[in-house]
Amino acid sequence: MSMFSTLQPRTSTQIPEPPVAKFLFADARMAWLWLIIRVYVGYEWLTAGFEKLTGHSIAIGSFGEAAKGGPWVFSGHDGVAIQGFVAGALAQAGGPHPAVQGWYAAFLQHVVLPHAGIFAYTVTFGEVLIGLGLIFGALTGIAAFFGVFMNLNYLLAGTVSVNPVIGALALLLVLGWRIAGYYGIDRYLLPLLGTPWTGSLTRKQTRIATATTS
């Protein structure tokens, strides 16, 4: 017990946030920058998810074109496309310098492949929801977090493409969650919901105003 009491500090020490970090990630004057980043990342996710959902592209430059392999869901052969994706990833798991690590290849082979249909719907609607959340600025930090998570899984599966770029941008959106959705739904939603450590900021302000007037 004496050892634990020695290790635990008697007072809490908080390192103040640098002014530059405050300006970038917590100052509403920078919300315009996060709006541009947010819409771009959301566009990438929405177009990818919509293509998997409908089998047609809505991306600029390829609008209306049919996607290779068709839709991932509601097609009568759900899971076929993701099985092909997994097969491509497993092919990169061999050799002296594999692009896909053995532990992740085992996850793909023993978890994803047997439940390919479920993962097809999860990936498709996950991408659509992430895209919509970022474009409209609704729960931006949460949407960006799940975007980073999906980017990480694509990278672990050996798919580079645009994933490093939008993954890095989404990580910055997670850090700037307080103002990233300022020009969006979060401007009204976050004060209503608050945070787990503050509660609803709207209700708190109402209680303060009531106490002041009384």
Side-chain angles (χ1 to χ4, degrees), residues 97-143:
H97 303 289
V100 178
Q101 297 299 305
W103 65 270
Y104 195 77
F107 166 74
L108 292 175
Q109 186 170 8
H110 299 294
V111 178
V112 177
L113 272 182
H115 308 93
I118 296 175
F119 277 94
Y121 281 88
T122 302
V123 170
T124 299
F125 285 101
E127 290 183 351
V128 171
L129 291 174
I130 290 170
L132 291 175
L134 292 176
I135 290 173
F136 290 104
L139 300 176
T140 304
I142 295 175

Side-chain angles (χ1 to χ4, degrees), residues 24-26 30-45 130-131 133-148 151 165-183 186 190:
L24 287 175
F25 300 119
M30 292 301 295
W32 64 269
L33 175 63
W34 297 115
L35 171 64
I36 297 172
I37 296 174
R38 196 187 81 213
V39 170
Y40 167 67
V41 178
Y43 162 81
E44 292 290 344
W45 279 118
I130 290 170
L134 292 176
I135 290 173
F136 290 104
L139 300 176
T140 304
I142 295 175
F145 169 80
F146 282 106
V148 172
N151 285 133
V165 176
I166 63 173
L169 293 176
L171 184 59
L172 293 175
L173 286 171
V174 173
L175 296 176
W177 68 273
R178 288 168 289 183
I179 59 167
Y182 184 79
Y183 293 123
D186 279 348
L190 289 185

